[in-house]
Amino acid sequence: MPSSGPTIQQTEVVGMVLPIAAAMVTSFRLFVRMRQCRLWLDDAWAALAMVFNIGFLIVLWLYLHDYARYPQDTRVALYYMSTQLFGLGIWSSRISILFTVVRLTFPGSLRRWLVRTAVAFIVTWMILFAQIFWICEAESGWKTRSRPQCDLGRDVAIALIITDVLSDTILILAPIRLIYRVRLTKAEKIRLLSIFSTSSATTIVSLAHAYYVLSDGGLKEVIAAAVEVSVSLIVANLNVVVAFLFHISTEEQATPAPLGLSSIITIGSQPTRKRVQCDPLSLSTMEAAIEIQTIKLDDFNVSPDQAAGRDDKHTEVASLDTLVEPGLFYVA
């Protein structure tokens, strides 16, 4: 009677197609940020996650394809490498999302809390990997199998569920305070929250992976791991990709603002003279401009001194341009 589970060939296809798709999305994200001279820590973590994802693809291929020709110790090492690269890819993607929120946050307690959370994510990955290593080494009978795969059991599954749900909840809730502190239309708030809420997709696939870990799913567990690490990386890039596409659509529909004699503070409006800045944490040089324009917040990346001198009564309007285009600060 044929097995109802996936075959090695099917597992190889999933383990190759999804990481390649995730790498393509990440490459596009890095291209957009590089073209805008806005590469920062969130992009560095996304690039690192892509490297781990590609490494996971290579190790998984070696682990599944013609594994019989490798010595037994090499097969065991390939299994450990796959689990390590899986964890590195997952948590690097989450840290990338976290630093995307950090770069949009004014210096203060919230920003410090987010950075500490990123450190906590790193520590969490280290604990999870140590737990896997401890369990697998305690019961080493799996190392004699033709294709070694450790039975991680209930403890690892519970730890994965708890850490995945908590971390993804943090990634969903972290930008809410940021978004609601600025004045936006209801549609704009929904659009921004929808982008950051895609972290819930990672939770869904992580729960499926934890289920197969709990039930010793064999190749099903391998497929679930490949899906989770790839979806996590794609989700980490959605905020930049969607913002870029939205920016293109809004540029096509934009109309010039009427000129007038009144002067207001304009953040991110069309300048009379434009200077290219490649520092993602700094704003352009201050210039004088006389015009009537809706106040528009295109970049939250201001220095602490600028943030401290800001009038809280000024109207703030955020847009998705924040994620893809450098902000310009002009005072009339």
Side-chain angles (χ1 to χ4, degrees):
M1 183 175 179
S3 174
S4 59
T7 63
I8 291 181
Q9 289 73 22
Q10 292 170 337
T11 307
E12 288 176 344
V13 170
V14 174
M16 176 176 291
V17 172
L18 289 180
I20 290 177
M24 291 175 63
V25 175
T26 308
S27 299
F28 177 75
R29 174 235 183 92
L30 296 176
F31 169 76
V32 170
R33 284 286 175 84
M34 187 179 300
R35 193 184 68 170
Q36 299 291 340
C37 293
R38 299 204 63 214
L39 290 173
W40 197 56
L41 290 177
D42 57 336
D43 304 297
W45 279 103
L48 196 60
M50 180 178 67
V51 172
F52 293 141
N53 206 352
I54 294 174
F56 178 78
L57 183 156
I58 296 172
V59 171
L60 186 62
W61 176 266
L62 296 174
Y63 176 73
L64 295 174
H65 188 71
D66 292 338
Y67 58 88
R69 67 180 181 178
Y70 302 118
Q72 192 67 20
D73 291 343
T74 302
R75 301 180 207 174
V76 173
L78 287 173
Y79 172 77
Y80 273 129
M81 290 174 64
S82 65
T83 58
Q84 185 175 9
L85 289 169
F86 164 79
L88 286 169
I90 291 289
W91 291 99
S92 296
S93 299
R94 287 172 176 158
I95 294 174
S96 175
I97 298 174
L98 200 61
F99 272 106
T100 297
V101 182
V102 170
R103 76 183 292 168
L104 300 179
T105 308
F106 284 111
S109 60
L110 177 60
R111 195 169 194 174
R112 290 192 297 269
W113 180 83
L114 292 173
V115 173
R116 290 167 186 162
T117 304
V119 176
F121 280 8
I122 297 175
V123 175
T124 301
W125 166 79
M126 296 172 64
I127 294 174
L128 289 175
F129 179 73
Q131 181 189 30
I132 292 174
F133 188 79
W134 178 268
I135 290 176
C136 291
E137 287 299 310
E139 299 179 4
S140 57
W142 60 274
K143 295 182 179 181
T144 60
R145 300 176 187 174
S146 58
R147 189 178 63 248
Q149 184 174 359
C150 178
D151 183 7
L152 299 176
R154 188 179 67 175
D155 292 343
V156 172
I158 293 175
L160 289 174
I161 292 174
I162 293 175
T163 55
D164 289 343
V165 171
L166 286 178
S167 60
D168 291 337
T169 301
I170 290 173
L171 295 178
I172 293 172
L173 296 179
I176 289 180
R177 180 182 176 185
L178 175 68
I179 292 172
Y180 277 94
R181 287 181 65 182
V182 294
R183 185 169 299 175
L184 297 165
T185 66
K186 184 176 180 180
E188 288 171 332
K189 286 184 178 181
I190 292 175
R191 188 181 300 116
L192 284 170
L193 289 174
S194 298
I195 293 175
F196 286 104
S197 296
T198 51
S199 297
S200 58
T202 308
T203 306
I204 296 174
V205 294
S206 66
L207 291 177
H209 178 233
Y211 169 77
Y212 289 121
V213 169
L214 184 61
S215 60
D216 190 18
L219 290 179
K220 293 180 181 179
E221 180 184 336
V222 176
I223 289 180
V227 172
E228 183 179 357
V229 71
S230 300
V231 169
S232 298
L233 183 54
I234 292 174
V235 166
N237 295 307
L238 281 182
N239 49 59
V240 177
V241 175
V242 173
F244 176 78
L245 297 177
F246 178 78
H247 176 70
I248 292 178
S249 64
T250 53
E251 274 191 344
E252 293 175 351
Q253 300 174 4
T255 56
L259 295 177
L261 298 178
S262 301
S263 63
I264 62 173
I265 296 178
T266 304
I267 303 178
S269 63
Q270 184 67 28
T272 55
R273 297 190 305 275
K274 186 175 181 180
R275 298 182 183 179
V276 178
Q277 294 288 336
C278 291
D279 184 358
L281 295 179
S282 66
L283 299 171
S284 300
T285 307
M286 301 175 64
E287 295 181 354
I290 300 178
E291 59 180 349
I292 295 178
Q293 178 112 357
T294 302
I295 298 177
K296 193 173 185 180
L297 187 60
D298 275 345
D299 199 331
F300 289 93
N301 298 320
V302 297
S303 66
D305 293 337
Q306 291 168 330
R310 231 178 68 159
D311 187 355
D312 292 336
K313 296 182 180 179
H314 288 156
T315 305
E316 296 176 343
V317 178
S319 73
L320 284 175
D321 295 346
T322 303
L323 299 175
V324 294
E325 190 170 4
L328 304 171
F329 189 82
Y330 299 94
V331 178

